[in-house]
Amino acid sequence: MTEPAGIRGLWRPVLLYAAALALGAFALEWLQYRFWARTIPLEIMIGLIGAAFAGLGVWVGMRLTRQAPPAPFVRNEAALRSLAITPRELDVLEALVSGDSNKELARTLGVSPNTVKTHIARLFDKLDVTSRIQAIETARDLRLIPAAGDTPTPTSRSDG
C-alpha cells in the first residue's frame, strides 16, 4: 500500500522533532538535572522547559505547514483567442475588478461611458454571463485576469 503524498513529506520533520526531544532529554541529564532542580525554583524550571517545548512546537508547526510561494500569474492566451476577446475588452475586464461605475471606468480608460457599456455587453456575451461578478469569476477561472492571491507577472501588457 502506498502512502498519500501529504504524509510522505511529514516523516522528516517528525523525525527531526523526535531527535530534538531526545537531544533535549540528554542535555537535561548531561547538565545534571538534579543539581539544577535543587538550585532553581520548580516554577522557573517548568517555565524554561515549557518555553523550550513551545519553541520546538512552533518550529515543527512551521515546517509542517510551509507552502511554496505562488507562481506568477500567466494569462491563458488560448482562451483569449478562442473567446475572441480584444485587447481593449481585456482592459475593460481588468478594470471591472475595481468595482467602479461605467463613468469611472470610462474616465480611467479614456473612453466614453457608452463605449464601456458596449465592451461590457460584448464581454458578457463572450463569457456567457449576466453580471459583472460572474464575468470576473469566469475570467479568473479561465486565467484571463489575475485572482486575488496571484502574484503579478514581471512584465506588464502595453496594448491599446
Side-chain angles (χ1 to χ4, degrees):
M1 178 179 254
T2 61
E3 298 173 340
I7 292 176
R8 259 185 250 136
L10 296 179
W11 287 110
R12 185 173 178 212
V14 169
L15 289 176
L16 287 173
Y17 186 71
L21 289 176
L23 185 64
F26 176 75
L28 284 175
E29 187 62 35
W30 186 71
L31 292 172
Q32 298 175 350
Y33 172 72
R34 290 190 182 122
F35 170 76
W36 287 100
R38 288 187 190 130
T39 59
I40 297 175
L42 182 62
E43 293 83 12
I44 292 176
M45 183 62 75
I46 290 172
L48 290 173
I49 292 170
F53 280 107
L56 200 55
V58 167
W59 175 77
V60 168
M62 288 173 51
R63 295 279 301 186
L64 293 177
T65 59
R66 185 180 331 159
Q67 297 178 353
F73 172 74
V74 177
R75 182 167 278 122
N76 185 350
E77 297 294 335
L80 279 175
R81 283 190 302 274
S82 70
L83 293 171
I85 294 178
T86 66
R88 198 55 168 165
E89 289 170 343
L90 184 59
D91 290 339
V92 172
L93 186 58
E94 289 172 339
L96 278 179
V97 175
S98 68
D100 291 341
S101 68
N102 287 349
K103 278 186 179 181
E104 292 165 330
L105 292 176
R107 195 173 308 121
T108 302
L109 297 171
V111 295
S112 74
N114 286 335
T115 303
V116 170
K117 287 179 192 176
T118 302
H119 285 308
I120 291 174
R122 287 183 183 159
L123 283 168
F124 283 7
D125 286 340
K126 291 177 180 183
L127 295 172
D128 194 28
V129 296
T130 58
S131 72
R132 290 176 177 225
I133 299 294
Q134 286 178 335
I136 293 168
E137 288 175 355
T138 302
R140 285 181 173 160
D141 289 344
L142 293 172
R143 306 288 293 164
L144 301 178
I145 59 174
D150 288 340
T151 57
T153 54
T155 58
S156 60
R157 196 173 65 78
S158 60
D159 295 338

